[in-house]
Amino acid sequence: MLNPYIPIPVEVVNIVTEVDTKDIKTFRFAFINSEDEANFKYLPGQFAELSIFGKGESPIGIASSPTQPGYLEFTVQKAGIVTSTLHDLEVGTRMGVRGPMGNSWPIDYLEGKNIVVVGGGFAFTTLRSLIVYILHKDNRSRFGNITVVYGARTPGLLIYKDELAAWEARDDINLNVTVDKGDESWKGREGFVPTVCKEVAPSSENAVTVICGPPVMIRFTLPVFFDLGFSKENIITSLEMRMKCGIGKCGRCNVGNKFVCKDGPVFSLAELDKLTKEY
Amino acid sequence: MEKRLLKKDKLAGIIKNISREMLVYAPVKEEDNVLFMALKEGREPLLDFSNSRNAPKTFFFPRTEIMMKYTRTGKGMELSTGEVEVREAVLFGVRPCDARSFALLDMLFEQDKYKDPYYIARREKTTVISMACVHPPYSTCFCTSVDGSPTSGEGADILLMDIGDNYLVEFITSRGEKLLKYFGDLPKAGEAEETLKKEIAERAEKEIKSHIPAKDIKPILDNNFEHPFWETIHRKCLACGTCTYLCPTCHCFDISDEAKGSDGIRIRNWDSCMYPLFTLETSGHNPRTTQKERWRQRVMHKFKYYVDNFGAISCVGCGRCVMYCPVNLDIRKIVEDIAKL
Amino acid sequence: MTENQPVEGWRPRIVAIVCNWCTYAGADLAGISRIQYPPNVRIIRVPCTGRINPFFIVKALQEGADGVLVSGCHPGECHYLTGNLSAKRKFAMLKRFLSYIGVEGDRTMFTWVSASEGERFAQVIKAVTAAVTALGPAGKLVKKWQLLR
Amino acid sequence: MENVETKLREEAKKLLAEKKADIIVGYEKGTLPLLAPPCFITDPEDAEKLVWNAFCVQNLAKFVHDLLSQHRESQKRLKPADRTKKTVGVVARGCTTRSLVIHLQEKQYNRDDIVILGVPCTGYVDRKKMDALIAGEEILEASVAGDSVLVKTAAGERKIPLKEALADNCLACRFNNPLISDLMTGDHAPAMDVTQEYARVDEFEKLSPDERWNYFTREMDKCVRCYACRNACPSCYCKVCFVEQSQPRWVGIGEDRSDTQVFQLMRLFHMAGRCVDCGSCIAVCPMGVDLRRFLKKLDKDALELFEHRAGISPDEPAMLGAFKESDKEDFIFTPK
C-alpha cells in the first residue's frame, strides 16, 4: 500500500532571497527519483508538506507551475521550526516533499473567462503558479484577459521581482503592482490593494477573481469586487489552517465538515458562505 | 456464519491457547483500573467485567506510534525505513460499543482516496472477539441512542454471548472463522439458542437506562453554529482532554519528530480538540480561540460533521466521557439541551 | 541496579553550569595558574546562577550527564547583588527533591567559587569527579530513546 | 451544611443583584452521584443552583484566574475609556483561599477583583476511594448523612463511614477554613488531623533510593500525558506550559518513559512553595497517579528549609522569588 505519510525525497537546487528583510526565500527542489517526478501531478493552487526529518513538516503552497518541469518551487517565510531550519539550508541538501495536496484553483472553470488575480504580500505564491500556468504558450489561448493587482507594504517586500518585470513587458497581461509606501527609487504605484482594485476596475463580465492575501486585505477588497458586480461564485480564495497530516485524518484543519487540507484550500466565496466562519 | 456453543468454563483455556501462538490483548485488572493490555504469560483475562478504562482503539491507533525512521547522511537526514511492522494479534473481550468504534474509525482511516497504512495494517492483522453485554454494565450506557446495541456484533469478528451455561459463539467474519481451530469441536447452535439470543438481546436493550436524542439533533446543529447555547457549556471545562483520550472514536493526532544524534523518528501522538494548541497557527492566530469553540467543535464533529461525511454519528455510547469527566460535563445532557433549542 | 555498575575505563561526563563573574573567572585562574584537575567537566557559562532554570539541571541529567555541578559567587558577592541568593533556594529544593525521587544525591552538586579561588575550583572538580565516579554511570531520568531502537 | 448552602445562595444572590460581583463561581448538582461540578452564575435568580456538600471537589481558584485573565485580554483590544472592571465572586474553602492568596502574591490580579464567599470545609469525598470501597459496583445515588456516606448500588444501599471516603489531603488538612474572605457563610469547621500531614512522606524517605526510584517510575508509567493535572491546578497558569514549548523543545511529547518522568518532575517542582494540597490534580487524573506523595515532599521541604507554607498571607512574597540571609546552606558542597 502506498504510504501517504512518507515524503518524496528531493534536493535543494536553488535558493533565492526574495525580500530585503531576508525572511522570505524561494526554494527550488529537484526530485531525486525520476518516477517521483512523473507521479507528482499538480495544478496551481495545490500545496505540499515540506518535510525536514528531525524538525517536522510545514504545509506550503506550490509556487512553481506544472508547466515548469524538472523542479518544484516554494516561497517560504521564516516563522516556525521547520521554516527556520529551511532558511538555514544550503543548496545540495536533501529533504522531503509530501504531496501534492488539496484542490487547485479551478482551472476548468477559469477556462474561457477573464481572470482578475489579486494578491497581497507573500501570499502571492500560488497566484504566481497560476499566472505562470496561464501565460504558458500552450495555455494562454484557453483563457481571456488577465488582470493582476499585486501589493506589498514596501518595494523591498515584493517577491518575484524579475518575473514581475518580465510580465510588465508583455502585452497579454495587465499587471498592476503597488506598494503601501514607496521609497526614493520606487517609480510605480502607491496605495493599498483595495484602492488599486477600485482604480483598475476590471469588468465583471465573464470574469472570475482569484484572491489571496492577508485577511485584512481580503476584508477590504471583497466589497470592491461586489460593487464591480462579481458574484460570490466568481470570487475564489484560498484558506490557511494549521495542518499536520494533510490528508483529512488528524482532525485539526476542518472548517465545518470540510477539511482545508483535503477539500480545500481553494474555495469560492459561495462555498465559504455554506461553511462556518471558523478560520 | 458459524454459530457454536461453548461451555463457559472452557473459554479461559481457549484464550490461553491462542496466546501461545499470537499476541492477545485482553482486559486485565491493573490496580484499580480494568485496562486492555497484552496478555503476559500466566495472566488470566477478565471474563466478568463492566468495561475497561481505556478504549481498545489503542491497538489500532496507539497513543504513540512510530511512522518512520531516518538517519543522517552526507546530504542531510534521509529516510531509513517506513515499513509498518505489525504482528498477528487477537483482541479479546471487547464490548459491543467499543467494537462498533472500529467500524466507525474504518470509515475515516480507510477512505477511498487516502488510506492510513498504520491503522489498516493493524486492523488487518487483528481478530476482534467481542463480548456481548447481556446486562449493560453502567447506568450511563447509551449505545442504543447512537445506532448501537448491547449485543451487536458490528465491528467484531467473533461475538460471544453468555446464554446461561454456555457462550453462544458467532464467527461473524472469515477472519473470525480462522480461529475456529482453537475452539475445538464445538456443538452447533440450534433454534433454541437462536430464540434465547433474541430474548437476551431484547432484554439487554430494555435494561439500557440512558436515552438521548442523539439522532434528532443533526438538523438543529446544521442551523445553529452560532447560538448563545455554546456559551453555556464550556466554562467549567478544564481542557484536560480526558474525554477524548478515553473516547473510542476520537482519532485526532499530532505528528512530531524526535532525533538523537544522527538518528530520528517521526511519530504520531494522540491529540485533542480540547487543547488550545491543537489549532494554534505559527502566526499566533487561533481559529478556535476559546474553549467555547473547542467544545462546539467536539459536539459538531461527533453529531454533525461525521454524519455529513460518513453517514454515522461518531459516538458509540460507551459513557466513558460521562463517567470520567472530572467536572461532570455530561454529553448526554448537552445533547438533550441541544434537542430543546 | 545493573546500569549503575561502573564499566571498565568509564569516565563520568559532568556538566558544570557556572556564573560568568566568579566561578568562570575562577576556572580561568585555575587554567592560568596551571593547576591540574580532571578533564571530565563541560562548562556552561551563564551570567549568574540566578539565570539557571532548575530545568537546565534536570535536562542535563536527562540527556545523559552523569553529574551536574552548579557554581556561582559566594553569598554577598553576587555581581547582581542577590542573584545567587534566590538561586540558592531553588537549588536547595531541587537537590532534596531529586534525591527524594531516588536520584542519587551526589549527581547534583552546588558550590561557590570566587574569581580568586583557582585552587578551590580545581579541588571542587576533583571532588565532584571522584564522587560521580563512585556513583557510576547515570541511569535514572536518562532518556534511553527506546522508541528509536 | 444545609445552613451554609442557604446562606451561600442568599449572599450570592445579593452580590449579583447589587452588582458587587459580575459572576459567581460555585458548585452545582451534577448529573452523576458523587459529583458537584463547578458552575458559573451571572443571574441572581440562578443562585438557587449553588450547592455546598462533600462532593464539591475542584479548587475554584483556577476558574477565577481564567476568568480574570480572559477578561484582561479582552480589555486590551478596547480603548482605555471603554474598558470595564470585572469582579469575580468565588465560593472558597480553605485550600481555595490559599490558591487565591498565591495568585495575589504572584500579582495575577488585585484583591478587589475578587469577592470571596468563604465556606467552612470538613473535607470532600474521593471518588476513586469510593469506587474501591464499593469494589467495582456502580454507584447510582450517594448522599452524606452525619458521619456516613449513603450509597445506593444495584445490590442495595450501603453506609460507608465518611472518614474512609474522604480524600487523603482533606484528612490531614491544616487549613480547612478560609484564610481570607469577604463573607463567611458558616461557623468555623473543626480541625482535621494534622498529625498525619507528612506521614506518607516520612515513610517514603525511609526507603532506599532505588526503592524510591522504582516507585516514582511505576507511578509515572501510568501517566498518559493528558495534562489534566496541570489544567486543574490553580497554580499552573502559564500561558504556554514548558511542556508545550517548541522553541526550544524541553521534553519530547511521545510515550518515552524519560520524557514523562521529566515532565512530571518539572511540573511537580514548579509547585515548590505553591501547592496548597487541594487535591484537584489527583481528583482529575484519569490514571490515578500518586502525585501527592511527591507534592507533599516539596511542602515539607519548604517548611523545613524556609519556614514557608504556601498561600498563607497575600503580603508575603512567593517562596522562590525571595530569600533570607539566614537560608540554610548545608547543601552547599565544600571540598576538603
Side-chain angles (χ1 to χ4, degrees):
Chain A
M1 194 194 317
L2 190 77
N3 185 338
Y5 295 103
I6 293 188
I8 302 159
V10 293
E11 188 169 312
V12 183
V13 292
N14 192 32
I15 302 172
V16 176
T17 304
E18 295 283 357
V19 294
D20 55 8
T21 49
K22 298 196 168 51
D23 62 344
I24 297 173
K25 290 183 182 178
T26 297
F27 298 84
R28 182 177 288 188
F29 300 117
F31 292 93
I32 286 163
N33 308 312
S34 53
E35 66 271 21
D36 287 338
E37 183 178 359
N39 291 332
F40 198 100
K41 290 197 172 35
Y42 71 100
L43 283 173
Q46 286 192 281
F47 70 97
E49 291 272 2
L50 298 188
S51 178
I52 301 181
F53 284 132
K55 298 295 173 187
E57 297 187 316
S58 192
I60 309 282
I62 306 174
S64 55
S65 154
T67 54
Q68 300 170 308
Y71 62 84
L72 294 173
E73 277 183 348
F74 296 86
T75 302
V76 184
Q77 183 175 34
K78 186 171 173 170
I81 306 168
V82 176
T83 52
S84 299
T85 311
L86 192 65
H87 268 248
D88 293 338
L89 289 189
E90 288 169 7
V91 168
T93 313
R94 289 193 176 177
M95 52 176 280
V97 166
R98 203 153 63 80
M101 286 164 171
N103 61 359
S104 66
W105 298 118
I107 300 291
D108 292 343
Y109 184 71
L110 296 180
E111 234 171 90
K113 298 198 173 69
N114 298 324
I115 301 163
V116 185
V117 176
V118 183
F122 98 106
F124 195 53
T125 61
T126 62
L127 296 176
R128 177 238 198 167
S129 172
L130 179 68
I131 296 168
V132 172
Y133 180 87
I134 293 173
L135 290 182
H136 189 265
K137 58 180 175 8
D138 295 347
N139 296 334
R140 185 64 192 91
S141 58
R142 290 158 54 203
F143 302 91
N145 298 333
I146 311 180
T147 309
V148 178
V149 178
Y150 170 44
R153 270 180 294 143
T154 64
L157 290 175
L158 289 166
I159 58 176
Y160 312 131
K161 289 185 195 70
D162 294 346
E163 226 156 6
L164 292 176
W167 293 341
E168 193 75 64
R170 292 175 72 134
D171 55 9
D172 57 354
I173 172 170
N174 171 14
L175 183 69
N176 303 277
V177 178
T178 176
V179 296
D180 296 354
K181 184 144 183 41
D183 53 21
E184 312 81 61
S185 58
W186 179 251
K187 295 187 184 62
R189 225 187 250 270
E190 272 191 30
F192 294 117
V193 167
T195 324
V196 175
C197 288
K198 210 182 259 174
E199 284 165 23
V200 175
S203 158
S204 60
E205 182 80 32
N206 190 34
V208 180
T209 293
V210 179
I211 176 166
C212 207
V216 60
M217 180 202 95
I218 294 186
R219 184 146 52 94
F220 288 103
T221 310
L222 290 181
V224 176
F225 282 91
F226 291 145
D227 288 348
L228 289 168
F230 282 82
S231 69
K232 286 185 168 177
E233 284 73 19
N234 287 333
I235 302 179
I236 295 162
T237 188
S238 182
L239 293 187
E240 252 193 341
M241 286 286 263
R242 181 173 186 182
M243 294 175 190
K244 284 282 175 179
C245 73
I247 55 177
K249 311 232 181 286
C250 78
R252 51 167 60 54
C253 73
N254 69 302
V255 174
N257 57 15
K258 298 270 187 250
F259 284 97
V260 173
C261 68
K262 183 169 71 78
D263 306 310
V266 174
F267 294 96
S268 71
L269 285 195
E271 286 167 323
L272 285 184
D273 264 0
K274 288 190 210 125
L275 297 177
T276 60
K277 299 278 164 292
E278 201 170 76
Y279 42 83
Chain B
M1 177 166 60
E2 290 286 337
K3 291 188 184 182
R4 304 290 181 92
L5 290 176
L6 172 68
K7 281 267 171 261
K8 273 166 84 175
D9 56 356
K10 294 269 188 285
L11 181 60
I14 290 169
I15 300 305
K16 200 170 266 177
N17 282 343
I18 299 175
S19 73
R20 285 206 186 95
E21 289 177 35
M22 52 180 114
L23 215 53
V24 173
Y25 300 107
V28 291
K29 186 112 174 149
E30 274 288 298
E31 295 190 14
D32 291 338
N33 296 335
V34 173
L35 298 175
F36 273 92
M37 292 179 87
L39 206 57
K40 292 205 189 90
E41 193 66 42
R43 274 200 93 165
E44 298 271 328
L46 288 178
L47 298 177
D48 188 22
F49 67 103
S50 304
N51 202 357
S52 58
R53 174 69 66 109
N54 61 345
K57 71 170 176 190
T58 168
F59 298 103
F60 303 125
F61 176 54
R63 190 167 76 73
T64 292
E65 174 169 37
I66 297 178
M67 307 176 85
M68 58 199 82
K69 298 183 178 182
Y70 42 85
T71 189
R72 191 181 302 283
T73 69
K75 298 203 149 206
M77 291 291 224
E78 292 192 71
L79 186 78
S80 51
T81 174
E83 292 293 310
V84 186
E85 286 168 34
V86 181
R87 278 174 64 190
E88 212 54 62
V90 166
L91 185 50
F92 169 76
V94 179
R95 290 295 178 197
C97 52
D98 290 342
R100 208 171 150 261
S101 78
F102 307 148
L104 292 171
L105 289 174
D106 288 349
M107 296 172 182
L108 178 94
F109 285 118
E110 297 189 19
Q111 272 176 86
D112 290 343
K113 192 168 174 199
Y114 294 112
K115 300 197 189 306
D116 188 283
Y118 309 100
Y119 174 89
I120 293 172
R122 289 198 164 78
R123 198 77 175 93
E124 280 173 352
K125 291 236 169 130
T126 309
T127 312
V128 176
I129 306 182
S130 266
M131 183 78 90
C133 298
V134 172
H135 299 291
Y138 305 108
S139 61
T140 45
C141 291
F142 61 96
C143 57
T144 49
S145 301
V146 285
D147 282 333
S149 131
T151 54
S152 149
E154 196 183 347
D157 299 299
I158 299 174
L159 175 69
L160 300 177
M161 185 193 263
D162 182 342
I163 55 165
D165 297 335
N166 289 302
Y167 285 113
L168 173 67
V169 190
E170 295 181 46
F171 294 85
I172 300 170
T173 64
S174 55
R175 189 159 63 203
E177 280 173 359
K178 282 191 192 141
L179 291 190
L180 253 173
K181 59 179 179 185
Y182 295 98
F183 284 81
D185 204 11
L186 298 182
K188 289 197 188 246
E191 281 291 317
E193 286 81 19
E194 276 298 313
T195 324
L196 196 54
K197 181 194 162 177
K198 235 188 195 160
E199 279 172 26
I200 292 174
E202 275 171 27
R203 198 186 59 217
E205 286 211 12
K206 279 203 192 105
E207 279 182 33
I208 295 275
K209 292 188 191 76
S210 283
H211 299 278
I212 60 167
K215 293 202 278 187
D216 306 338
I217 62 169
K218 166 84 166 69
I220 301 169
L221 294 178
D222 284 343
N223 296 316
N224 288 292
F225 187 79
E226 300 293 347
H227 192 285
F229 169 75
W230 299 116
E231 293 287 353
T232 64
I233 56 173
H234 70 281
R235 280 210 275 229
K236 62 183 172 180
C237 179
L238 297 169
C240 72
T242 295
C243 48
T244 54
Y245 270 37
L246 298 181
C247 177
T249 62
C250 275
H251 58 77
C252 290
F253 60 85
D254 186 24
I255 300 177
S256 85
D257 280 47
E258 292 205 0
K260 166 91 174 163
S262 48
D263 292 303
I265 43 179
R266 181 159 289 171
I267 53 178
R268 74 168 167 199
N269 290 291
W270 289 355
D271 208 337
S272 168
C273 57
M274 292 288 104
Y275 299 157
L277 265 61
F278 186 58
T279 49
L280 180 66
E281 293 165 19
T282 314
S283 64
H285 172 64
N286 194 343
R288 294 182 207 139
T289 331
T290 69
Q291 210 60 15
K292 168 192 151 187
E293 287 85 9
R294 292 169 210 136
W295 253 98
R296 180 170 60 191
Q297 162 70 13
R298 180 167 157 79
V299 174
M300 287 279 181
H301 183 237
K302 296 214 169 291
F303 297 98
K304 168 173 157 59
Y305 303 154
Y306 221 74
V307 183
D308 284 339
N309 291 336
F310 302 110
I313 292 174
S314 174
C315 169
V316 294
C318 70
R320 283 186 181 88
C321 59
V322 180
M323 283 185 282
Y324 301 119
C325 174
V327 292
N328 191 218
L329 254 164
D330 190 330
I331 192 82
R332 298 173 304 169
K333 175 143 196 316
I334 290 171
V335 168
E336 275 162 19
D337 289 349
I338 292 173
K340 288 184 213 139
L341 291 184
Chain C
M1 271 197 234
T2 48
E3 58 199 8
N4 281 15
Q5 296 302 315
V7 187
E8 208 171 317
W10 169 82
R11 291 220 176 82
R13 277 180 301 182
I14 298 166
V15 172
I17 311 177
V18 305
C19 90
N20 177 46
W21 304 100
C22 292
T23 307
Y24 193 80
D28 223 18
L29 181 63
I32 295 167
S33 320
R34 308 201 172 224
I35 306 171
Q36 293 278 329
Y37 60 84
N40 307 67
V41 174
R42 315 280 192 282
I43 291 183
I44 295 171
R45 181 168 53 152
V46 291
C48 173
T49 42
R51 166 67 182 92
I52 300 171
N53 182 336
F55 210 149
F56 295 175
I57 297 162
V58 172
K59 195 70 194 159
L61 292 173
Q62 194 197 11
E63 295 288 331
D66 298 303
V68 181
L69 167 71
V70 173
S71 180
C73 309
H74 287 274
E77 295 174 10
C78 177
H79 187 80
Y80 308 96
L81 303 178
T82 58
N84 55 357
L85 295 177
S86 15
K88 197 167 79 174
R89 282 201 163 190
K90 289 186 239 169
F91 300 150
M93 293 294 289
L94 182 69
K95 189 167 167 87
R96 282 195 176 201
F97 196 55
L98 283 172
S99 160
Y100 183 75
I101 65 164
V103 177
E104 305 85 349
D106 283 355
R107 295 263 179 230
T108 47
M109 307 273 241
F110 301 88
T111 194
W112 314 128
V113 173
S114 79
S116 61
E117 294 176 323
E119 189 65 47
R120 181 180 160 101
F121 181 79
Q123 280 174 354
V124 165
I125 300 297
K126 271 180 218 158
V128 170
T129 308
V132 177
T133 309
L135 287 174
K140 295 162 184 169
L141 283 183
V142 180
K143 185 154 178 173
K144 309 253 169 42
W145 294 89
Q146 71 246 35
L147 293 173
L148 205 68
R149 309 269 170 253
Chain D
M1 207 72 96
E2 240 161 63
N3 292 338
V4 174
E5 205 170 77
T6 321
K7 183 91 190 295
L8 193 62
R9 291 173 182 170
E10 277 170 22
E11 296 291 356
K13 191 173 180 174
K14 226 194 290 171
L15 283 177
L16 290 169
E18 291 169 6
K19 307 246 182 285
K20 284 184 182 150
D22 299 297
I23 187 166
I24 299 220
V25 192
Y27 303 93
E28 66 179 349
K29 190 179 171 355
T31 63
L32 292 178
L34 301 177
L35 277 169
C39 72
F40 300 81
I41 312 252
T42 46
D43 183 344
E45 295 310 309
D46 287 342
E48 289 306 306
K49 285 186 191 163
L50 289 172
V51 301
W52 175 247
N53 56 41
F55 307 129
C56 299
V57 174
Q58 291 302 311
N59 185 333
L60 300 180
K62 177 220 150 55
F63 298 102
V64 174
H65 191 283
D66 282 0
L67 286 167
L68 287 171
S69 57
Q70 276 163 19
H71 179 71
R72 199 170 49 240
E73 281 301 309
S74 70
Q75 296 299 298
K76 277 185 189 162
R77 288 189 288 271
L78 302 176
K79 288 187 194 121
D82 298 337
R83 289 182 190 161
T84 54
K85 181 175 163 62
K86 181 167 186 154
T87 312
V88 178
V90 56
V91 177
R93 52 155 64 97
C95 50
T96 312
T97 59
R98 290 176 74 194
S99 290
L100 297 170
V101 167
I102 290 185
H103 290 162
L104 293 170
Q105 286 174 343
E106 295 172 359
K107 310 272 186 282
Q108 292 303 303
Y109 43 75
N110 298 325
R111 180 65 182 85
D112 64 358
D113 291 332
I114 53 175
V115 181
I116 303 170
L117 284 154
V119 282
C121 175
T122 48
Y124 60 76
V125 171
D126 181 337
R127 276 171 88 199
K128 285 171 193 143
K129 268 195 189 175
M130 284 296 282
D131 283 342
L133 285 166
I134 221 97
E137 274 185 83
E138 192 191 8
I139 296 166
L140 299 173
E141 275 173 42
S143 59
V144 175
D147 287 341
S148 338
V149 191
L150 298 177
V151 188
K152 215 172 114 189
T153 68
E157 283 202 27
R158 280 179 62 181
K159 213 170 175 182
I160 289 171
L162 188 57
K163 216 171 164 190
E164 283 178 33
L166 288 187
D168 287 342
N169 53 313
C170 298
L171 287 168
C173 179
R174 185 179 287 272
F175 301 102
N176 49 330
N177 286 298
L179 294 180
I180 51 169
S181 68
D182 296 299
L183 292 157
M184 267 303 287
T185 55
D187 300 329
H188 269 226
M192 309 298 280
D193 180 13
V194 290
T195 56
Q196 294 303 299
E197 202 173 5
Y198 300 117
R200 293 182 76 230
V201 177
D202 298 337
E203 153 204 302
F204 195 66
E205 280 171 345
K206 293 197 187 90
L207 302 176
S208 76
D210 281 349
E211 282 171 318
R212 295 198 298 263
W213 175 254
N214 290 342
Y215 186 81
F216 178 74
T217 305
R218 203 191 72 203
E219 287 303 311
M220 298 313 152
D221 278 357
K222 293 182 197 165
C223 171
V224 293
R225 299 284 291 273
C226 65
Y227 310 136
C229 47
R230 174 196 71 189
N231 291 1
C233 177
S235 285
C236 268
Y237 55 70
C238 290
K239 275 189 190 157
V240 182
C241 174
F242 70 90
V243 75
E244 276 153 353
Q245 273 176 3
S246 56
Q247 286 176 309
R249 166 82 65 78
W250 288 101
V251 236
I253 58 170
E255 253 175 339
D256 191 289
R257 173 183 268 178
S258 157
D259 284 331
T260 306
Q261 288 170 350
V262 167
F263 156 65
Q264 284 286 1
L265 167 62
M266 289 319 293
R267 195 196 85 81
L268 291 167
F269 190 70
H270 279 172
M271 291 301 125
R274 308 174 66 235
C275 173
V276 300
D277 202 15
C278 65
S280 289
C281 53
I282 294 150
V284 300
C285 178
M287 307 318 286
V289 181
D290 182 7
L291 297 166
R292 189 161 179 272
R293 172 90 73 183
F294 304 101
L295 288 166
K296 276 316 262 186
K297 168 66 177 169
L298 292 164
D299 198 36
K300 188 184 168 200
D301 283 350
L303 190 64
E304 275 182 20
L305 292 169
F306 315 118
E307 288 146 6
H308 180 94
R309 284 192 199 272
I312 301 302
S313 156
D315 309 319
E316 226 177 80
M319 181 183 89
L320 289 184
F323 59 85
K324 284 189 197 133
E325 299 286 342
S326 60
D327 284 346
K328 288 199 183 91
E329 259 204 38
D330 51 1
F331 74 103
I332 294 288
F333 172 75
T334 312
K336 280 165 213 100

